[in-house]
Amino acid sequence: MNKLQKLVQSRVLILTVCAAGIGGTFQYGYNITIINAPTTHIQTFMNETWLERTGAPLENNVILLLWSFIVSAYPLGGLTGALVAGPMAIKLGRKTSLLVNNVFVIIAAVLSGFSRMAKSFEMIMLSRFFTGINAGVSMNIQPMYLGESAPKKLRGAVALTSASFTALGLVLGQVFGISELLGGEESWPLLLASNVVPALIQMVTLPWLPESPRYLLIDRGDKESCISALRKLRGSADLSSEIEEILAEQAAIEGQRAKKPWELFQNPAVRWQLISIIVLSSAMQLCGNDSMYFYAGYVFREAGIPHDKIQYVIIGTGCCELITAVTCNIVIEHAGRKLLILGGYSFMAVWAIVFMVALSQQSQISWMPYLSMTCIFAYILSFGIGPAGVTGILPTEIFDQMSRPAAYMICGSLLWFNLFVIGMAFPFIVECLAHFCYLPFFVVCVSTALYVGFFLPETKGKSFLEISEEFNKRNFKTQTHENLWKGPEEIKSTML
């Protein structure tokens, strides 16, 4: 009976992870890659539509401008989603927010699916904006929901599944985007609309699973519902210690309301938590991992891979992220968060140097294209083993219940803003620095590794209150040192 109860307990937690992930961060990865395959077909569609409307074709620079609008609509929508995710998580709850979030992707699927029939490329732009909103909301709320629902000893591994679903979305987007499946000239509207399938799966499965127990007790004050949710997630396990921990956190923040993002900047009690998520969330996009995909096609061609086969090799880059994300899930509770992030950025810094050397010698030495190709896979593997996943779970662990939604709003805003900045700036960086274009990314990787090594405490196996106490040692370090220089009377007068 014990084994059966443990199996049921594990099954509910696994189903919660899968239901949240398939309509959550999976959509982020999937919608990033499905737009790449039909690029030429959509640009041709824009030109034909304009020709039919006005009798004159579009100039090449105008086509590129319109295409840049379609591409940039996604991060713009993501930024919007990140900003609304916090209020949604507070007012609707974690689970309900994820369910409501599917409305955005259903609207997007309808717009893109009927865009060719309606002869409107503007519908594709609007579709990408709504898709971005969906991704922005899910990137913030899913790790929050899973981190609050998981037991302490599995919190990192469970919350980290967000990165695994992102990587799975990247791979499946690349697979369905090949010309033999949905990436062809006739089927590209179906490819863009296929993101409705994960949304429908989530809408059918997630309502049967429990809300975040922490949200129910701390935010709603509903102890009975909290215990009911914990029983579903933990089975017959002893819940007394976990309920005591949640009650202790509730007592610690009693009388407080949910924080606004700007209030975190004014609060010295979360100073180093805030600095940590700003540094790590910015580094996620500024480290140059996504820019590796920019070079992938060129490097693979130089290595002698036929043009029509490159689409299959590029799937391998997505598989790298998936493999490392799953590996990270397995090792995070053994290795810890700090080591994975530190190791990831350190290896990326090394591979950035090797990649720049390989690019500069590509035309002189025959085997250099193969070294460049190795660097692409190694860089993506290094990113996936730590920074890609661990960064997303840190706000759940280092902020309390009242500050967590605002922290995720800041993280999400930085992620999407920096994605937009890199997308705009990288072509100019390549033009200015040529083969040494990865020098800025090298600086970001080294700086982030140094910050993590010196300032980020390990959170593995600690309760939320223990982590807060760890940060408080640094947040109030100056205050403590000042008190050492004061006499008893001065300290007393300061307290009064």
Side-chain angles (χ1 to χ4, degrees):
M1 186 66 180
N2 239 352
K3 288 183 180 178
L4 182 62
Q5 286 171 338
K6 283 182 180 177
L7 183 64
V8 171
Q9 168 197 344
S10 303
R11 189 179 67 181
V12 172
L13 186 59
I14 291 167
L15 286 174
T16 302
V17 167
C18 294
I22 196 67
T25 52
F26 175 90
Q27 293 279 31
Y28 169 68
Y30 188 73
N31 287 300
I32 277 181
T33 50
I34 59 171
I35 197 67
N36 295 332
T39 298
T40 307
H41 303 315
I42 294 173
Q43 289 178 350
T44 302
F45 165 67
M46 289 192 296
N47 196 27
E48 289 173 352
T49 302
W50 192 260
L51 180 64
E52 194 172 321
R53 287 180 189 174
T54 65
L58 289 166
E59 295 180 9
N60 284 339
N61 60 336
V62 178
I63 292 174
L64 288 175
L65 180 63
L66 290 172
W67 177 248
S68 70
F69 287 156
I70 289 174
V71 172
S72 60
Y74 186 64
L76 184 61
L79 179 59
T80 306
L83 292 174
V84 302
M88 283 177 69
I90 295 163
K91 292 178 182 176
L92 302 177
R94 286 35 166 170
K95 186 180 84 168
T96 307
S97 295
L98 288 174
L99 288 169
V100 170
N101 189 37
N102 289 304
V103 172
F104 298 117
V105 87
I106 290 169
I107 293 170
V110 171
L111 287 168
S112 57
F114 290 100
S115 58
R116 187 166 62 183
M117 190 184 298
K119 297 181 180 177
S120 171
F121 54 81
E122 295 87 353
M123 288 172 69
I124 301 175
M125 291 181 196
L126 199 55
S127 164
R128 293 296 292 174
F129 178 75
F130 279 111
T131 304
I133 294 176
N134 172 269
V137 170
S138 63
M139 287 285 285
N140 282 9
I141 295 180
Q142 184 187 326
M144 197 189 312
Y145 171 52
L146 295 179
E148 291 175 2
S149 300
K152 183 167 64 175
K153 63 181 180 181
L154 294 175
R155 188 176 62 223
V158 169
L160 198 62
T161 56
S162 301
S164 300
F165 277 98
T166 298
L168 180 62
L170 282 169
V171 173
L172 290 184
Q174 290 170 336
V175 169
F176 285 115
I178 63 175
S179 53
E180 289 84 354
L181 293 178
L182 296 178
E185 190 173 355
E186 296 301 316
S187 55
W188 64 262
L190 285 175
L191 176 64
L192 297 185
S194 61
N195 54 16
V196 75
V197 176
L200 294 175
I201 292 172
Q202 186 179 75
M203 291 178 79
V204 170
T205 55
L206 193 57
W208 302 98
L209 298 163
E211 175 59 276
S212 155
R214 283 190 133 74
Y215 172 79
L216 291 169
L217 181 55
I218 299 175
D219 290 70
R220 291 276 180 86
D222 190 345
K223 188 175 179 180
E224 287 183 15
S225 295
C226 169
I227 293 171
S228 174
L230 282 172
R231 291 228 177 276
K232 287 180 183 176
L233 290 164
R234 311 282 186 265
S236 61
D238 183 17
L239 302 177
S240 56
S241 61
E242 189 165 2
I243 291 170
E244 280 176 22
E245 183 194 320
I246 299 173
L247 286 170
E249 187 179 350
Q250 185 189 38
I253 57 176
E254 191 175 358
Q256 297 182 33
R257 55 171 178 77
K259 301 290 190 297
K260 302 286 192 283
W262 54 88
E263 290 176 331
L264 298 189
F265 288 94
Q266 299 166 349
N267 185 359
V270 295
R271 182 185 295 119
W272 281 97
Q273 291 96 314
L274 191 60
I275 293 170
S276 296
I277 64 162
I278 288 173
V279 169
L280 293 171
S281 296
S282 299
M284 275 277 287
Q285 295 299 340
L286 300 180
C287 68
N289 181 69
D290 290 342
S291 302
M292 274 293 172
Y293 292 98
F294 176 89
Y295 266 110
Y298 162 71
V299 169
F300 294 155
R301 278 193 300 274
E302 290 295 308
I305 296 169
H307 178 74
D308 59 332
K309 304 296 181 189
I310 288 176
Q311 61 178 341
Y312 304 110
V313 181
I314 287 177
I315 292 173
T317 59
C319 289
C320 278
E321 282 206 39
L322 179 58
I323 291 165
T324 51
V326 172
T327 304
C328 193
N329 266 109
I330 296 168
V331 303
I332 187 170
E333 295 301 344
H334 301 286
R337 287 67 159 149
K338 185 172 181 172
L339 180 62
L340 290 176
I341 302 177
L342 181 61
Y345 281 117
S346 299
F347 280 120
M348 288 166 74
V350 171
W351 287 113
I353 294 292
V354 177
F355 186 56
M356 288 187 286
V357 172
L359 284 177
S360 65
Q361 300 300 312
Q362 195 136 291
S363 55
Q364 279 80 33
I365 303 173
S366 60
W367 51 268
M368 275 296 170
Y370 300 103
L371 180 58
S372 300
M373 192 161 64
T374 302
C375 287
I376 288 175
F377 285 103
Y379 202 88
I380 292 169
L381 283 166
S382 302
F383 179 73
I385 197 64
V390 181
T391 304
I393 70 172
L394 280 178
T396 296
E397 296 194 319
I398 67 178
F399 285 92
D400 63 37
Q401 194 78 6
M402 295 296 105
S403 303
R404 199 169 292 137
Y408 268 106
M409 286 172 70
I410 294 168
C411 282
S413 300
L414 285 169
L415 187 147
W416 290 101
F417 175 75
N418 287 318
L419 178 64
F420 178 79
V421 168
I422 287 296
M424 297 294 289
F426 188 63
F428 298 101
I429 294 172
V430 172
E431 190 176 332
C432 294
L433 299 178
H435 296 132
F436 300 100
C437 58
Y438 258 68
L439 196 57
F441 303 135
F442 166 77
V443 172
V444 169
C445 291
V446 171
S447 303
T448 308
L450 289 172
Y451 178 85
V452 171
F454 286 108
F455 299 110
L456 187 71
E458 180 55 73
T459 60
K460 180 185 75 171
K462 296 177 182 175
S463 70
F464 291 117
L465 283 178
E466 287 171 339
I467 295 166
S468 291
E469 286 168 11
E470 189 79 25
F471 272 100
N472 282 342
K473 292 174 187 175
R474 191 174 294 278
N475 288 329
F476 298 107
K477 190 176 182 181
T478 308
Q479 201 172 308
T480 306
H481 282 199
E482 283 175 1
N483 285 342
L484 290 174
W485 293 96
K486 294 179 181 178
E489 293 303 317
E490 288 177 284
I491 294 172
K492 188 178 178 182
S493 62
T494 303
M495 289 172 71
L496 293 171

